[in-house]
């Protein structure tokens, strides 16, 4: 871990008004979503949906788009104010002594919160864990509805990119693979939005 990479940091591709997050779905969900710029009616909004600002963490999770049910990788561009609303209304997915008064208080907060946060090890091109962590954001209830109906600006199928990168990594062409990675940089999130989310 270096001074430039604290243990907990949101890293993402973003603009002045949007942030890109990644998800992977089976083709029956992912392809219509990319085509229409919104999730199809078969997308279950009553289930928690996890969004990930880290492209390589998504590659780790979906196996470069090869895992069953995760064959279509989506880059979902959403409004930054929506993403930050979710952070502000989220709870850590696990109990942390010192951060929460006690386990009962954490469980009560978890029940009230429409979003939850996990910090998972960031990954390198070989999908090995790095000594610092990236954000996963789970959306349920009001947060999932806002995500699907209000926050989405655009959806792109980036499965071809995942496939190309995977081939380059397997061919040990790491320089070429690095050049193709989506550019992610530290996201300028207010301390007040994440202070309650660091374990």
């Amino acid at each position: 871990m270096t001074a430039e990479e604290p243990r907990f940091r949101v890293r993402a591709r973003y603009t002045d008004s949007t942030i890109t997050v990644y998800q992977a779905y089976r083709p029956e969900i992912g392809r219509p979503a990319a085509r229409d710029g919104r999730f199809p009616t078969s997308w279950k909004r009553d289930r928690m949906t996890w969004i990930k600002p880290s492209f390589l963490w998504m590659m780790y999770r979906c196996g470069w788009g090869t895992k069953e049910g995760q064959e279509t990788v989506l880059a979902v561009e959403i409004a930054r104010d929506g993403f930050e609303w979710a952070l502000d209304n989220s709870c850590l997915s696990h109990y942390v002594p010192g951060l929460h008064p006690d386990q009962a208080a954490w469980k009560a907060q978890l029940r009230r919160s429409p979003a939850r946060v996990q910090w998972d090890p960031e990954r390198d091109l070989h999908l090995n864990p790095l000594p610092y962590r990236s954000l996963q954001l789970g959306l349920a209830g009001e947060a999932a509805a806002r995500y699907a109906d209000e926050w989405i600006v655009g959806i792109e199928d980036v499965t071809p990119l995942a496939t190309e990168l995977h081939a380059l990594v397997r061919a040990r062409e790491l320089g070429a693979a690095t050049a193709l990675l989506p550019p992610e940089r530290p996201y300028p999130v207010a301390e007040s939005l994440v202070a309650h989310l660091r374990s």
Side-chain angles (χ1 to χ4, degrees), residues 125 161 164-165 167-169 171-181:
L125 275 169
L161 174 62
E164 184 177 4
L165 279 164
L168 288 170
V169 171
R172 297 187 174 87
E173 296 181 26
L174 301 187
T178 299
L180 284 180
L181 283 174

Side-chain angles (χ1 to χ4, degrees), residues 13-21 51 76-87 137 139 146-154 187:
R13 183 177 189 173
Y14 62 90
T15 69
D16 288 344
S17 59
T18 65
I19 179 172
T20 298
V21 296
I51 59 176
V76 186
E77 191 177 13
I78 63 172
R80 280 174 59 168
D81 57 1
F83 177 75
E84 292 173 13
W85 179 91
L87 289 178
L137 187 56
L139 309 174
R146 286 182 179 227
Y147 173 62
D149 299 332
E150 301 173 18
W151 301 345
I152 293 175
V153 174
Y187 182 81

Side-chain angles (χ1 to χ4, degrees), residues 63 73 81 87 94-95 119 126 158 166-167 172 179 185-186 192 195:
V73 184
D81 57 1
L87 289 178
H94 61 282
Y95 168 65
W119 295 96
H126 296 290
V158 292
H166 191 200
R172 297 187 174 87
R185 53 203 168 109
S192 60

Side-chain angles (χ1 to χ4, degrees), residues 16 21 38 42 56 67 86 108 112 120 155 161-162 191-193:
D16 288 344
V21 296
R38 57 180 316 212
S42 53
L56 284 175
K67 290 186 180 177
R112 290 192 308 269
D120 294 293
I155 302 177
L161 174 62
E191 177 63 22
S192 60
L193 295 181

Side-chain angles (χ1 to χ4, degrees), residues 50-71:
W50 288 89
I51 59 176
K52 304 155 186 72
S54 166
F55 179 83
L56 284 175
W57 204 96
M58 184 72 257
M59 294 305 97
Y60 165 73
R61 181 70 181 83
C62 71
W64 300 102
T66 64
K67 290 186 180 177
E68 184 178 358
Q70 300 185 62
E71 300 92 343

Side-chain angles (χ1 to χ4, degrees), residues 128-141:
N128 295 317
L130 293 169
Y132 48 88
R133 293 177 176 258
S134 283
L135 180 90
Q136 268 202 90
L137 187 56
L139 309 174

Side-chain angles (χ1 to χ4, degrees), residues 66-130:
T66 64
K67 290 186 180 177
E68 184 178 358
Q70 300 185 62
E71 300 92 343
T72 305
V73 184
L74 301 178
V76 186
E77 191 177 13
I78 63 172
R80 280 174 59 168
D81 57 1
F83 177 75
E84 292 173 13
W85 179 91
L87 289 178
D88 196 32
N89 288 276
S90 64
C91 176
L92 271 180
S93 60
H94 61 282
Y95 168 65
V96 178
L99 192 62
H100 307 108
D102 53 45
Q103 215 158 17
W106 165 71
K107 286 182 178 177
Q109 185 185 0
L110 196 65
R111 284 193 298 271
R112 290 192 308 269
S113 300
R116 61 187 58 175
V117 160
Q118 288 181 193
W119 295 96
D120 294 293
E122 181 58 284
R123 302 283 158 166
D124 64 16
L125 275 169
H126 296 290
L127 307 185
N128 295 317
L130 293 169

